Amino acid sequence: MFPYPEQYRVALPPIITGLMVVWALVSRFVFGDASVLSLYPLLTLFPIVILLHGLLIWDAKSMGRLDQSFYALIHCALAFVVWTFAIMHVNGNSFS
């Protein structure tokens, strides 16, 4: 179906990280501050990114395991920062 399925697998964690940003911006506009409907999907997206990186390390076809591990280390650190700020944006002024 896809011409390069392995590249789509490798690109899936950054795509989900981008989805975090889009979800935080759209859900804050639609649901307002500190909505459960906007917070719970964000709380599940970062563990999905970590599990996908674990799957990519386990089943390393396009890159070696060490390369996949380095990719996971760098991306998970950056995705954690994005995830934290997305949660802060969704919560808005609810903690003050």
Side-chain angles (χ1 to χ4, degrees):
M1 184 171 158
F2 295 116
Y4 306 107
E6 187 62 29
Q7 282 79 8
Y8 289 111
R9 283 185 37 184
V10 172
L12 196 57
I15 290 171
I16 292 176
T17 304
L19 182 67
M20 282 185 215
V21 174
V22 171
W23 178 255
L25 294 173
V26 170
S27 66
R28 172 98 185 263
F29 178 71
V30 173
F31 298 120
D33 286 349
S35 173
V36 174
L37 295 174
S38 60
L39 186 62
Y40 284 167
L42 279 178
L43 293 177
T44 60
L45 285 177
F46 184 67
I48 289 172
V49 167
I50 292 174
L51 290 174
L52 282 173
H53 275 299
L55 178 68
L56 286 173
I57 292 170
W58 179 264
D59 189 29
K61 292 181 183 176
S62 63
M63 293 188 267
R65 288 183 196 254
L66 183 63
D67 295 334
Q68 287 285 1
S69 300
F70 185 70
Y71 170 53
L73 176 73
I74 297 299
H75 181 255
C76 284
L78 294 174
F80 179 76
V81 173
V82 169
W83 181 61
T84 304
F85 282 108
I87 289 173
M88 288 170 55
H89 180 74
V90 165
N91 280 331
N93 295 324
S94 66
F95 289 133
S96 17

